Amino acid sequence: MEAATDGRILRAGELEIRPEEFLALADGRPLNLTARELELLKALMERAGRIVSREELYVSVWGEPYRKSDRSVDVYVGKLRQKLEEAAPHHRFIHTHFGFGYRFSPQPAERSFTRLS
Amino acid sequence: MEAATDGRILRAGELEIRPEEFLALADGRPLNLTARELELLKALMERAGRIVSREELYVSVWGEPYRKSDRSVDVYVGKLRQKLEEAAPHHRFIHTHFGFGYRFSPQPAERSFTRLS
DNA sequence: ACACTTTTTTCACAGGCCGGTCACGCACTC
DNA sequence: GAGTGCGTGACCGGCCTGTGAAAAAAGTGT
């Protein structure tokens, strides 16, 4: 369904996704992602740089209408962050935009105590 | 049919396969593999690093259409793991990817909680 | 052809993993 | 400070996997 990039290798920063192999690499190390996690990461990367609403993400990944009370996207963003942090420490990939949604944008590294933007 | 590597010696980590001798060595020690086991190991090694579905493995090794309920691949992966563990303890070769299939990737040893740098 | 061994296939059960939901507490905006 | 949004650990049902063991098939020697 993600016609534009389906099957193509996606890259961003230290991240790489090979959809046809169900494989995601961070710094060359395989992330051990589940099906949903991989789909969500793909959806985010395909929209890299822009703020994406939960609704858009949910519809794209789950393929069903979005209910405002559904927290699935949040939960899976959390799981992704955790696994990304494991594989590529001190990088930031998924940024929260309060009240709007999430934005994927790989950031080189983390400087000690800088404030969130 | 695996034209590219058929008959050629395959190596990965501590593993070596010499197809024309029906021989597999781990750490220099011969694994005592049966025909099916050897074929499956070859199929996995030829696809090293990527996640391979049961269907692809089954079709490649058994040469017949795959039935979803068929557990043969699982059983033989189990047998391979057992023999590999015997010959080369504390190495990991075949990794399970839940819902997708298996991935061959030799891993030096297991370090429990240390993070790679 | 027969008996015996080895390998392959099937079966069934136990346990593990994943997806989805909930609830609690903190974060953020105004 | 009030009100809403967000992060996250915990939990449960259901499907996926690992695996021993039985059954079937194939191989081996006489």
Side-chain angles (χ1 to χ4, degrees), chain B residues 77-92:
Chain B
V77 164
K79 292 178 178 183
L80 279 177
R81 280 175 170 157
Q82 206 169 315
K83 294 193 177 180
L84 286 167
E85 171 67 20
E86 255 179 64
H90 309 301
H91 290 240
R92 294 288 169 82

Side-chain angles (χ1 to χ4, degrees), chain B residues 8-39:
Chain B
R8 235 185 232 83
I9 291 181
L10 275 170
R11 281 178 226 271
E14 310 294 336
L15 253 187
E16 177 174 336
I17 289 189
R18 305 181 186 165
E20 73 286 352
E21 304 176 31
F22 305 108
L23 184 60
L25 301 168
D27 267 346
R29 282 186 282 276
L31 305 177
N32 229 18
L33 301 186
T34 70
R36 279 272 192 265
E37 291 164 359
L38 184 69
E39 284 305 308

Side-chain angles (χ1 to χ4, degrees), chain A residues 62-117:
Chain A
W62 276 258
E64 303 172 25
Y66 175 64
R67 290 162 295 131
K68 260 200 301 292
S69 64
D70 194 307
R71 306 291 311 283
S72 300
V73 174
D74 302 67
V75 172
Y76 275 85
V77 164
K79 293 178 179 180
L80 277 178
R81 281 174 169 156
Q82 206 169 315
K83 294 193 177 181
L84 286 167
E85 171 66 20
E86 254 180 66
H90 309 302
H91 290 240
R92 293 287 172 81
F93 295 97
I94 305 176
H95 309 270
T96 304
H97 286 257
F98 200 95
F100 294 108
Y102 297 99
R103 179 176 55 92
F104 180 91
S105 168
Q107 226 126 77
E110 156 143 324
R111 333 219 159 268
S112 43
F113 288 110
T114 56
R115 222 154 287 137
L116 295 179
S117 61

